[in-house]
Amino acid sequence: MKLTEKIPSFLRNNMYAELAKRNLKRQSVRTILAAIGIIIGVIAISSMGILGNSLKLSVTDSFADIGDKLIVSPAPGEDYITDRQVDQIYKVGNIESVIPVIADGEMIEHRKDGIDILLYVSVYDIEKDDLEKLVELEEGRYFKPGSTDCVVGSSVAENLEITPGQKIEIDDTKLRVVGILKERGMGFDISTDTGVFTSSEMYEKLYPDEDEGYDQVIVVVENIDEIDNVADEIEERINKKDELVTVFATNLITESLDDVFSSISLFLMGIGSISLLVAGVSILNVMLMSTMERTKEIGIMKAVGASRKDILKMFLLEALFLGVIASTAGAILTIGGSYLVMVLVVKNTSYLLTLSSMFYVIEGFFFGIATSLVGGMYPAWKASRMKPLDALRYE
């Protein structure tokens, strides 16, 4: 398809649009080279933006399940969170779940093929129903209250090479593994991948001298928009006289990630914009050469009544046509190329089809048009300022 065939019909009937179209055709090699510069620039800006946005979406998705949680921990100088403090948390509104947690670090042992495998893990005392709210099972089942059962994280199962039904040993006490949790990745509440979870009765047997309190309380809020208000109310209820607990809102992490990856996207787009700057200089050069070559033609047009505005319009239309056609091609190639990369490499195209990713394609498109117009402004102004007699005498 010829470049000029994409020009809107309402401009085809305009005399200056026809002249602009003819001039682009007349110097087809220069036109194509200038268009290639814009295409590369649009692809660079749009692709860099999509890359940064995809990274942002990927990471924020990984932390999506922690953004609605508050982590209540003992304040510096305090040993644990009491039952009374947990009861005060229950009284706060807009809370979906309150999950008290007791944890300890321990070396566990598993014997395989006559060899003892040791691994340092976190051992958790947490109610079965509460654990189900935080992480899903990969295989097996959850532990039963009062039993010697336990479930282990995916990393523990992989490192010890264990399956449901096998046993691990903690401080000379054997526990039967009845379930393996799904991999969840990094978390700021509990380390599910590197943890061993058992019932309160079993935990008390393992650690009879443990203090009567909780190491932390995980609070799941009903509405993430109310998370700051819930945190403030918890602190007001418990820290009336002294600072007994600290409350950490996990949405601060996702907000910080948004800021970081927005900066990365902006930086990457800045790198890509350099190629559009080069394209702008190329257009400036092409248009200036065109102005010099068409000096007599401009003189004749002015002699028969063309105004400065008419000459300016003709040259700016050339720049506009070039920018629209090249930017459209760049946007299409960006979407097609990004789709192929994500299908072949990432195996996931969902991030490409989001509104935020399409925004960068649109931004690259308009940036390409703006670059073309800016590059064509000085040559257009210079052509419009020519005096008819001087232009006609030009050799």
Side-chain angles (χ1 to χ4, degrees):
M1 181 183 287
K2 295 181 180 178
L3 293 177
T4 52
E5 288 178 1
K6 293 185 178 180
I7 297 171
S9 58
F10 74 91
L11 287 175
R12 290 184 193 149
N13 300 322
N14 184 297
M15 179 182 71
Y16 296 103
E18 290 297 320
L19 286 171
K21 182 170 69 171
R22 183 207 65 178
N23 293 330
L24 288 174
K25 278 182 176 181
R26 192 163 61 179
Q27 299 294 339
S28 58
V29 175
R30 288 183 194 167
T31 300
I32 290 170
L33 290 175
I36 288 173
I38 296 175
I39 290 170
I40 292 172
V42 171
I43 291 174
I45 284 186
S46 302
S47 298
M48 293 296 187
I50 290 172
L51 172 62
N53 186 63
S54 297
L55 287 172
K56 173 184 170 182
L57 292 174
S58 176
V59 173
T60 51
D61 280 354
S62 299
F63 291 101
D65 62 336
I66 66 166
D68 61 345
K69 296 182 181 67
L70 295 170
I71 311 300
V72 183
S73 307
E78 299 294 322
D79 295 325
Y80 51 82
I81 295 174
T82 65
D83 287 321
R84 181 173 177 276
Q85 290 167 348
V86 173
D87 291 338
Q88 288 177 301
I89 295 173
Y90 272 110
K91 295 175 183 178
V92 177
N94 291 311
I95 288 179
E96 183 180 310
S97 303
V98 177
I99 304 173
V101 177
I102 304 174
D104 207 334
E106 190 66 74
M107 188 71 71
I108 66 171
E109 183 178 337
H110 173 62
R111 190 171 185 82
K112 184 175 178 64
D113 299 330
I115 300 174
D116 291 331
I117 305 174
L118 300 176
L119 184 68
Y120 189 83
V121 301
S122 296
V123 181
Y124 290 95
D125 169 10
I126 185 170
E127 294 294 330
K128 167 182 167 291
D129 292 341
D130 290 336
L131 183 60
E132 289 181 32
K133 297 172 185 176
L134 298 176
V135 63
E136 297 177 7
L137 271 176
E138 179 69 34
E139 56 180 308
R141 60 174 177 83
Y142 288 99
F143 53 81
K144 293 180 179 179
S147 68
T148 59
D149 299 342
C150 70
V151 296
V152 299
S154 59
S155 179
V156 176
E158 182 179 347
N159 289 325
L160 295 181
E161 300 179 8
I162 57 177
T163 56
Q166 294 182 318
K167 292 186 178 181
I168 59 173
E169 188 172 318
I170 302 177
D171 197 21
D172 297 327
T173 302
K174 291 187 177 181
L175 288 80
R176 185 177 59 158
V177 177
V178 295
I180 296 173
L181 301 173
K182 276 189 178 180
E183 184 177 356
R184 195 182 72 161
M186 185 177 180
F188 293 88
D189 42 14
I190 56 175
S191 301
T192 58
D193 293 348
T194 58
V196 174
F197 302 84
T198 189
S199 63
S200 297
E201 294 82 358
M202 190 68 241
Y203 190 89
E204 288 174 6
K205 183 178 178 181
L206 291 170
Y207 306 104
D209 299 327
E210 191 83 10
D211 292 330
E212 292 186 1
Y214 304 101
D215 294 298
Q216 67 178 33
V217 177
I218 302 167
V219 179
V220 183
V221 299
E222 290 180 351
N223 184 357
I224 193 169
D225 295 330
E226 297 292 327
I227 192 167
D228 293 330
N229 294 333
V230 173
D232 292 340
E233 190 173 346
I234 290 173
E235 289 184 334
E236 287 173 7
R237 284 179 177 272
I238 300 177
N239 298 337
K240 281 183 178 179
K241 296 180 179 179
D242 300 307
E243 186 178 0
L244 302 177
V245 300
T246 58
V247 182
F248 173 69
T250 54
N251 69 321
L252 294 175
I253 299 166
T254 55
E255 288 174 1
S256 298
L257 287 171
D258 280 345
D259 293 339
V260 168
F261 282 102
S262 293
S263 299
I264 291 173
S265 294
L266 191 61
F267 174 72
L268 292 173
M269 287 177 66
I271 294 174
S273 65
I274 295 173
S275 58
L276 264 183
L277 178 63
V278 174
V281 173
S282 174
I283 292 167
L284 175 65
N285 182 51
V286 167
M287 298 283 285
L288 278 175
M289 291 182 68
S290 178
T291 302
M292 297 297 291
E293 291 173 355
R294 291 153 56 193
T295 299
K296 275 196 172 184
E297 179 186 322
I298 294 168
I300 293 170
M301 289 179 67
K302 285 204 164 189
V304 296
S307 65
R308 287 182 178 179
K309 184 179 177 182
D310 294 330
I311 303 299
L312 185 70
K313 186 191 299 182
M314 181 178 68
F315 275 83
L316 285 179
L317 280 173
E318 287 183 35
L320 177 63
F321 292 162
L322 182 62
V324 169
I325 294 167
S327 296
T328 300
I332 293 170
L333 288 172
T334 297
I335 295 172
S338 299
Y339 183 84
L340 284 176
V341 169
M342 289 189 175
V343 167
L344 297 174
V345 180
V346 185
K347 311 290 185 186
N348 182 5
T349 59
S350 60
Y351 298 140
L352 173 64
L353 303 176
T354 60
L355 185 61
S356 53
S357 290
M358 289 299 104
F359 168 77
Y360 290 107
V361 177
I362 296 169
E363 188 173 9
F365 174 79
F366 283 108
F367 208 113
I369 294 174
T371 301
S372 183
L373 285 172
V374 170
M377 276 183 180
Y378 174 70
W381 176 84
K382 185 176 180 181
S384 69
R385 302 292 295 180
M386 284 185 181
K387 295 179 180 179
L389 288 177
D390 293 340
L392 289 169
R393 289 174 186 163
Y394 182 81
E395 295 293 339

